[in-house]
């Protein structure tokens, strides 16, 4: 018999997975449907990973109301879930002493939004003390110590694992193709969410489909959600430059340019980006002009940075609503259908606050919430060999032969970590990458890919030809070589 | 109970069991030193093991051997020696004082070495480093990865390939793919000359009618999941794509052979100074770095064209390590060797002038009828053709050392004779 769900969530990005994890505190049947083979592969996986202080959203917008509260809640997510998150603070810098009043405007805006500890620094010595390699031409900065960085894909993986451990059902490779709505009063399941493999009856549906949330909303007759994708491109530098940049560095936006930010990511490597390219259709292809723009933009604040250490470049998408604000609330077209769309920046920051708010909406609309006494908020990370001291390594590897084989030599990832990533749900090379950092280092998988293909095929019991980079046709090996007599 | 880390001592520790490291270890042991040879793979030989084509050993043995055959000459000698070989073993750290933390299948060791030889080889440049824009599908990989899939794992990474870069690995993989029944549509090179050995251009491309597109590069990559095609463009003299020359080519495999970079992490960890031109360590005539007792050889110092030179450098580094481990010092190398006219870089970076030595250089552009000379001396040799794709190696003999006595700086230059 088909399982009936109290809540079906469409989309397993940081929003969908976050709501699922928060709902797993209660005695509820919750399903998450994801079109990709893994969590966080839409807008979540490729963004700046910044937990904004909250001064940049215009007061009065939905964005503003969730930014600072989201920021404040981050520790409550990152700590029990063991996710890399650091409050490293952010700088908004200007080289033009005539524009310091613009920094003051941001301070006022921030205070209105509930941001604490904002300060403007004009003392160059102090600026250089906090950020030694920043351009000498910087005249003033807005310092926001509460801003931080998180690894968005790792956060989403952790939310997923914790939600799953607490009883949420996840369905991958499950694009939603239609939603039936039963509007007759008194029916127990108002919605039937349909994917190619299965139907999911549910009382409530959360539309957290990112770029595709407009499309999903229209499945219940709601034509009010309009999402336009906008691409942002990035460069990632080798981890050997760790420490060269210590804060999240934004240039003060001018009327000509929003500027390129330079920041250490939560796992240490420096990133440059993003630019802003509105698109008709979603695409994460990079462009020469875009990569050049990001490259040159980064040099504005850090003219001395060693750009020969760029190891990769990529693009991510923003799900930008026509209103340019978050679209959160029950749809006018269908009671019990909650849209959580248009979650562009600062969506990652806002995610914990959005999850709480959505649960509040569900309760208000009649979902009864009984706390599950078995709920466990903690999730153990995969032990990270690269962060261990030799004594710990001696102990850790003693009984674990898989930990004695280092597969990814750039990031020091062992076979034990890779096998555990697969055990925890990674089915593709990208899935392993986001969980372990293998293929993220200086050689970008040049050395370890053949071994990773072998391990993945052995663990999953499939031919190496069936191993993919990211599912759906992204195979690595076309055929066997010729037989040798 | 916390497991203890075992402490051991060795005269010489060689890190890396490819051709450079094997030669250094063999020489060290022959000269009476206690040598440990560390290799992270399951076998010695390094990248030679996947180079099943022939052409190795012409300078060393006057024979054309395959990679595994060439390696076997050294592994068999090592097997019958007292060299302490550690396979499946990883160096966790190397201190400037030459203490190594080592993870092996039998536990973690702390090894105190008198001398250390870093023979860590090189890695291939990735797509990100050269910033090719476009989609990020599977089917784009360094040529060496494809070589490993085909020669060691028995799988073809694609059926219709394009190769970017005319380095030796790219040329050899083009022939290998063809033999395995794949179609190689073409090879592109951003320079106006091939960057691999001429013999490989002839034997791997011309013999199979594979077109070589000089002054071209890949400017876009198509395919959401699997590679579907590339855009090839002609470049101008500043290597910028020329608008209007774009051409789409349908392929399912793009191999990158766009250069190698020395694996220099341990040099950095040990505080060794690097040559920004090669990314390898600065070394003297015994391949000693500026951290006393730390040596380096092979592709970890600079990218060599023939394995024979790698082996010879390994022997020399082994000699140096033995001398250092014995006496704790070598003659002071205080004469700087610098790249003069038409020379891109030269190794070694300094010499003592007291012992015969060999220097290796790469020129900045292809030239004909040139003299390779040390400026201000009669030390000179004539070459008909020189090209950046081929390394030039010259010896300075015992008899010629007198000519260097008064020089503080040895400037190596390549000049056209007529």
């Amino acid at each position: 018999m088909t399982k009936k769900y109290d809540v079906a969530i469409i989309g397993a990005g940081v929003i969908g997975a976050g709501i699922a994890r928060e709902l797993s505190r209660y005695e509820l049947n919750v399903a998450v449907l994801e079109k990709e083979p893994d969590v966080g592969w839409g807008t979540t996986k490729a963004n700046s990973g910044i937990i904004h202080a909250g001064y940049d959203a215009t007061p009065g917008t939905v964005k503003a109301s969730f930014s600072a509260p989201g920021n404040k809640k981050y520790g409550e997510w990152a700590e029990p879930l063991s996710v890399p998150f650091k409050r490293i603070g952010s700088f908004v810098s200007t080289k033009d002493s005539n524009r310091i009043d613009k920094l003051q405007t941001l301070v006022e805006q921030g205070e209105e939004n509930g941001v604490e500890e904002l300060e403007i620094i004009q003392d160059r010595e102090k600026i250089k003390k906090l950020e030694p390699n920043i351009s000498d031409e910087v005249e003033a900065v807005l310092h926001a110590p509460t801003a931080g960085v998180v690894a968005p894909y790792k956060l989403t993986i952790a939310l997923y694992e914790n939600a799953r451990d607490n009883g949420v059902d996840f369905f991958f490779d499950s694009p939603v193709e239609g939603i039936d709505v039963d509007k007759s009063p008194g029916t127990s399941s108002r919605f039937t969410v349909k994917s190619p493999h299965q139907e999911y009856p549910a009382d409530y549906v959360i539309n957290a489909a990112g770029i595709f949330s407009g499309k999903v909303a229209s499945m219940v007759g709601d034509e009010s959600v309009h999402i336009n994708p906008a691409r942002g491109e990035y460069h990632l530098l080798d981890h050997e430059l760790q420490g060269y940049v210590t804060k999240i560095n934004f240039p003060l936006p001018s009327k000509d340019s929003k500027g390129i930010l330079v920041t250490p990511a939560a796992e240490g490597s420096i990133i440059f980006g993003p630019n802003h390219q509105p698109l008709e259709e979603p695409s994460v292809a990079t462009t020469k002009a875009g990569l050049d723009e990001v490259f040159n933009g980064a040099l504005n604040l850090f003219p001395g940075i060693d750009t020969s250490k760029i190891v990769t470049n990529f693009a991510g998408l923003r799900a930008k609503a026509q209103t340019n604000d978050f679209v959160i609330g029950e749809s006018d077209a269908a009671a019990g259908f909650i849209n959580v769309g248009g979650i562009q920046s600062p969506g990652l920051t806002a995610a914990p606050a959005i999850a709480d708010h959505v649960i509040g909406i569900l309760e208000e609309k009649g979902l009864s919430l009984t706390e599950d006494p078995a709920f466990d908020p903690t999730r153990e990370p995969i032990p990270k060999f690269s962060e261990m001291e030799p004594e710990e390594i001696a102990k850790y590897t003693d009984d674990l032969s898989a930990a004695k084989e280092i597969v990814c030599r750039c990031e020091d990832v062992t076979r034990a970590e890779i096998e555990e990533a697969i055990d925890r749900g990674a089915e593709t090379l990208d899935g392993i990458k986001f969980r372990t950092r293998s293929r993220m280092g200086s050689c970008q998988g040049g050395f370890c890919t053949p071994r990773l293909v072998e391990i993945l095929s052995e663990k999953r019991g499939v031919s190496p030809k069936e191993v993919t980079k990211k599912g759906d046709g992204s195979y690595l090996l076309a055929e066997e070589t010729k037989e040798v007599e | 109970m916390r497991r203890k880390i075992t402490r051991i001592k060795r005269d010489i520790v060689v890190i890396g069991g490819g051709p450079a490291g094997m030669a250094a270890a063999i020489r060290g042991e022959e000269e009476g030193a206690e040598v440990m040879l560390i290799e992270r793979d399951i076998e010695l030989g390094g990248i030679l093991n996947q180079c099943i084509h022939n052409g190795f050993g012409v300078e060393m043995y006057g024979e054309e051997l395959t990679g595994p055959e060439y390696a076997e000459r050294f592994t068999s000698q090592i097997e019958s020696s007292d060299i302490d070989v550690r396979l499946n073993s990883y160096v966790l750290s190397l201190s400037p004082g030459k203490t190594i933390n080592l993870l092996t299948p039998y536990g973690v060791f702390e090894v105190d070495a008198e001398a250390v030889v870093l023979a860590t080889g090189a890695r291939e440049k990735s797509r990100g480093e050269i910033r090719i824009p476009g989609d990020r599908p599977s089917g784009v990989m360094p040529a060496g990865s494809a070589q490993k899939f085909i020669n060691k794992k028995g799988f073809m990474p694609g059926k219709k390939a394009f190769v970017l870069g005319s380095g030796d690995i790219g040329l050899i993989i083009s022939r290998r793919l063809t033999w395995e029944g794949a179609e190689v549509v073409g090879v592109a090179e951003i320079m106006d000359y091939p960057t691999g050995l001429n013999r490989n251009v002839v034997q791997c491309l011309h013999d199979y009618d594979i077109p070589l597109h000089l002054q071209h590069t890949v400017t876009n990559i198509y395919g959401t999941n699997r590679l579907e095609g590339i855009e090839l463009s002609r470049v101008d003299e500043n290597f910028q794509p020329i608008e209007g020359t774009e051409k789409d080519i349908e392929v399912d495999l793009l191999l990158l052979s766009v250069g190698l970079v020395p694996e220099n992490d341990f040099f950095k960890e040990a505080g060794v100074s690097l040559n920004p031109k090669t990314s390898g360590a600065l070394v003297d005539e015994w391949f000693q770095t500026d951290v006393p007792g730390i040596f380096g050889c092979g592709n970890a110092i600079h990218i060599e064209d023939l394995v024979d030179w790698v082996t010879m450098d390994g022997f020399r580094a082994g000699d140096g390590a033995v001398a250092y481990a014995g006496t704790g010092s070598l003659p002071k190398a205080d004469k700087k060797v610098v790249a003069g006219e038409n020379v891109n870089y030269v190794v070694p970076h300094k010499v003592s002038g007291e012992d015969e030595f060999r220097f290796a250089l790469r020129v900045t552009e292809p030239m004909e009828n040139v003299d390779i000379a040390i400026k201000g001396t009669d030390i000179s040799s004539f070459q008909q053709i020189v090209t950046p794709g081929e390394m030039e190696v010259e010896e300075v003999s015992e008899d010629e050392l007198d000519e260097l006595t008064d020089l503080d700086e040895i400037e190596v230059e390549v000049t056209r004779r007529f």
Side-chain angles (χ1 to χ4, degrees), chain A residues 113 115 185 202 221 284 297 467 469:
Chain A
N113 289 346
V115 183
V284 287
V467 168
K469 180 176 186 279

Side-chain angles (χ1 to χ4, degrees), chain B residues 215-231:
Chain B
Q215 289 179 286
H216 278 77
T217 195
V218 173
T219 44
N220 212 341
I221 288 175
Y222 308 115
T224 311
N225 297 314
R226 177 72 195 192
L227 181 67
E228 291 165 14
I230 57 159
E231 180 189 80

Side-chain angles (χ1 to χ4, degrees), chain B residues 306-333:
Chain B
L306 299 181
V307 70
D308 310 65
W309 305 127
V310 170
T311 298
M312 291 181 215
D313 289 357
F315 286 145
R316 182 80 176 189
D319 282 332
V322 169
Y324 184 89
T327 63
S329 70
L330 285 161
K332 195 168 167 46

Side-chain angles (χ1 to χ4, degrees), chain A residues 2 9 34 38 110 128 139 172 192 205 232 276 284 446:
Chain A
T2 312
I9 299 168
E34 169 56 51
D38 208 335
K128 292 290 255 186
E139 292 283 344
F172 294 104
T192 306
V205 172
H276 186 271
V284 287

Side-chain angles (χ1 to χ4, degrees), chain A residues 240 409 446 475 478 482, chain B residues 40 138 145 156 179 226 268:
Chain A
E240 81 169 78
R409 52 171 81 169
Y475 62 90
K482 289 177 188 168
Chain B
R40 59 184 155 198
S138 69
S145 300
M156 292 293 286
W179 284 349
R226 177 72 195 192
K268 287 181 195 155

